[in-house]
Amino acid sequence: MPFDAAFAPEKTSCSEGVTPLPVLGADVRVPLVTGGEVTYAALDYAASAPALQRVWDDVAAYAPYYGSVHRGAGHLSQLSTELFEQSRRTVAEFVGCREGDQVVFTRATTDSLNLLASVLPQGTRVFVFETEHHASLLPWRGREVTYLDAPRSPEAAVATLEAALHGAPAGPKLVCVTGASNVTGEVWPVRELARAAHRHGARLVLDAAQLAPHRPVNLAELEADWVAFSGHKLYAPFGAGVLAGRADWLRQAEPYLAGGGASRSVVRGADGGVDVEWHTTAARHEAGSPNVIGAYALASACRALTEAGFDRLVAREEELLARLRAGLAELPQVTVLSLFGQDADRVGVLSFVVEGWNSSHFAAALSAEYGIGVRDGLFCAHPLLRTLLGQSGDTPGECGAPEAVPGERALNAVRVSFGAGTPDEHVDRFVTAVRELVGNGARWNYRTEDGRCVPEAPERSAR
């Protein structure tokens, strides 16, 4: 039995059948403005997925054994240290680390990519598509960056990158690419992009924040140099992320954070200052007391998904996605956003706009009148949404319409996303709700408050 399994209660296998995995909050009831309550339909997995019940149980079982790590002589400290390092090994296996790769625990994908940005060798040129989430679009600012236009097919993505790299000057180069879009859900050709990068002497980091919860991610098979992802999108609680991959740039750079745990030796120097010898392991970039519970929760989620079987999880998700898309396709007022076309491979993430509706208003009605939680806005991917929406965005002035950039229409969309814990009923209820709102309009009045569309008070809202 793995060391960390000793803390966990006995579990039954999730691999039999293709039912939803048990998640926290599955039975939460929420009020409707029209009266009564309904079981909440959490369809915002792309922002943060609910924690798996198994993960929560694992954390609760470990909590009484909480102790400091790496430097404590006590029994609980020794247990916690082994738990932390076993979690690192579990994550390494989950993402297919190669010999010599490192797994660094961070706070989230954003933290991971900012860490990588901080260790780039002098003169590194970064290549990034405008389609990236801000977490993988913005950390490179201040470096030599080539921003690539949004491709309209996987083949165009590879060709665009090839052309950009072919004309690049000599020196270190890094390509940053998403595995699955947080806006459209479309899966990117990661292996082909990695091969193109390597043909031109570049390295590639994969933002797998949206891919890892839905599909297997294997560094060796994808031929990527690094992968970054977040625990809170992988059915673990907030607060832990991962940067995994090649160790050389990590070892050669100054630590991301300076402090205890990152240093092997600190002595007073002849000049009166201090001389530091930094660790060459992952500890070099994990200064301070680590988030042991977060790392353990993330590793628990990795084990749970692996044991459930990605083949089964993917098959079920594709069934739900097909049901969702078929329902929306019946509504001509609904436009589903896509870069690669409607036949593209997707994970359970889909964004759309509705003719005659501001998306904030539409999302507010889904929540208030149907108990369905989705997301609206630009999803921290502003350049991509502006490319996808063009002039089809919402008219300024409607309930919840965001302030537009001068000279630009107010743009926003609705995003629905789901995963391993989503019941069939939630997707069916969502399709029914969209159909009713499109056909009949909202049953309640709404107003803008602090930039959000919210229901009017009952005495003013009845229609």
Side-chain angles (χ1 to χ4, degrees):
M1 182 192 311
F3 176 86
D4 47 4
F7 293 114
E10 184 177 352
K11 308 174 184 71
T12 57
S13 172
C14 299
S15 60
E16 293 301 322
V18 285
T19 57
L21 300 187
V23 295
L24 296 183
D27 298 324
V28 167
R29 306 276 293 178
V30 295
L32 302 179
V33 292
T34 50
E37 292 184 344
V38 68
T39 302
Y40 183 64
L43 294 177
D44 193 16
Y45 275 47
S48 291
L52 289 171
Q53 183 65 54
R54 165 174 174 171
V55 171
W56 201 254
D57 291 344
D58 283 353
V59 169
Y62 162 63
Y65 299 89
Y66 185 100
S68 62
V69 300
H70 292 148
R71 293 167 293 281
H75 181 66
L76 297 191
S77 291
Q78 295 295 308
L79 288 176
S80 294
T81 297
E82 177 58 23
L83 185 84
F84 185 61
E85 295 304 329
Q86 176 61 45
S87 297
R88 195 189 308 276
R89 293 188 289 270
T90 297
V91 171
E93 183 178 357
F94 182 74
V95 297
C97 280
R98 301 146 300 208
E99 184 177 357
D101 283 347
Q102 287 186 351
V103 171
V104 180
F105 285 116
T106 66
R107 292 179 296 170
T109 307
T110 302
D111 195 29
S112 296
L113 292 171
N114 276 272
L115 164 56
L116 186 60
S118 76
V119 307
L120 297 184
Q122 189 67 30
T124 300
R125 178 174 289 274
V126 180
F127 298 80
V128 58
F129 287 93
E130 69 172 355
T131 48
E132 294 293 311
H133 185 281
H134 293 172
S136 48
L137 185 71
L138 301 182
W140 324 108
R141 295 174 71 242
R143 297 279 182 170
E144 294 293 328
V145 184
T146 298
Y147 295 103
L148 306 174
D149 292 341
R152 288 298 182 167
S153 71
E155 295 77 16
V158 177
T160 298
L161 180 62
E162 286 268 17
L165 290 171
H166 180 74
K173 295 178 281 289
L174 177 71
V175 176
C176 179
V177 67
T178 189
S181 171
N182 76 303
V183 176
T184 67
E186 292 165 320
V187 177
W188 279 59
V190 177
R191 182 186 293 106
E192 291 76 10
L193 291 167
R195 289 175 176 173
H198 294 159
R199 281 194 293 271
H200 295 275
R203 301 185 182 191
L204 181 138
V205 58
L206 168 63
D207 174 355
Q210 298 298 335
L211 186 63
H214 301 276
R215 303 285 177 86
V217 172
N218 187 292
L219 277 168
E221 292 179 3
L222 293 174
E223 301 180 27
D225 296 278
W226 293 277
V227 62
F229 62 97
S230 300
H232 73 97
K233 298 182 191 296
L234 197 77
Y235 310 102
F238 292 100
V242 167
L243 176 67
R246 296 180 63 158
D248 53 350
W249 286 3
L250 294 167
R251 287 176 178 155
Q252 294 163 9
E254 287 288 301
Y256 182 44
L257 297 172
S263 56
R264 295 180 63 181
S265 173
V266 180
V267 298
R268 290 295 300 274
D271 61 357
V274 292
D275 295 327
V276 184
E277 179 186 359
W278 302 109
H279 279 295
T280 59
T281 63
R284 186 185 187 94
H285 298 287
E286 294 178 344
S289 297
N291 180 5
V292 181
I293 287 181
Y296 178 46
L298 196 156
S300 172
C302 291
R303 287 194 305 275
L305 292 175
T306 300
E307 292 171 11
F310 268 105
D311 288 347
R312 293 174 177 272
L313 296 177
V314 170
R316 181 173 184 275
E317 183 176 301
E318 289 179 343
E319 290 177 4
L320 292 179
L321 184 60
R323 186 181 306 181
L324 169 64
R325 294 181 65 187
L328 296 182
E330 296 175 355
L331 305 171
Q333 302 90 335
V334 174
T335 300
V336 174
L337 304 182
S338 175
L339 269 178
F340 298 159
Q342 296 308 312
D343 293 332
D345 184 19
R346 294 174 182 258
V347 299
V349 179
L350 184 148
S351 297
F352 62 94
V353 291
V354 182
E355 182 180 349
W357 285 81
N358 176 272
S359 294
S360 180
H361 187 189
F362 200 86
L366 285 171
S367 174
E369 300 179 28
Y370 296 91
I372 299 171
V374 297
R375 179 149 299 215
D376 65 276
L378 298 178
F379 319 126
C380 294
H382 296 184
L384 172 56
L385 261 296
R386 289 192 171 98
T387 295
L388 290 172
L389 292 174
Q391 293 302 309
S392 64
D394 302 300
T395 303
E398 295 184 33
C399 180
E403 182 178 351
V405 173
E408 181 183 82
R409 296 166 64 92
L411 301 175
N412 61 349
V414 179
R415 183 181 71 192
V416 54
S417 53
F418 51 88
T422 304
D424 295 13
E425 185 273 330
H426 288 186
V427 172
D428 293 341
R429 194 200 315 173
F430 172 80
V431 171
T432 298
V434 172
R435 184 181 298 113
E436 291 180 359
L437 287 172
V438 168
N440 305 322
R443 292 173 287 171
W444 209 257
N445 289 323
Y446 296 81
R447 61 185 174 84
T448 301
E449 180 178 292
D450 296 328
R452 295 294 306 165
C453 190
V454 298
E456 286 278 13
E459 61 271 14
R460 300 179 57 189
S461 60
R463 284 191 168 185

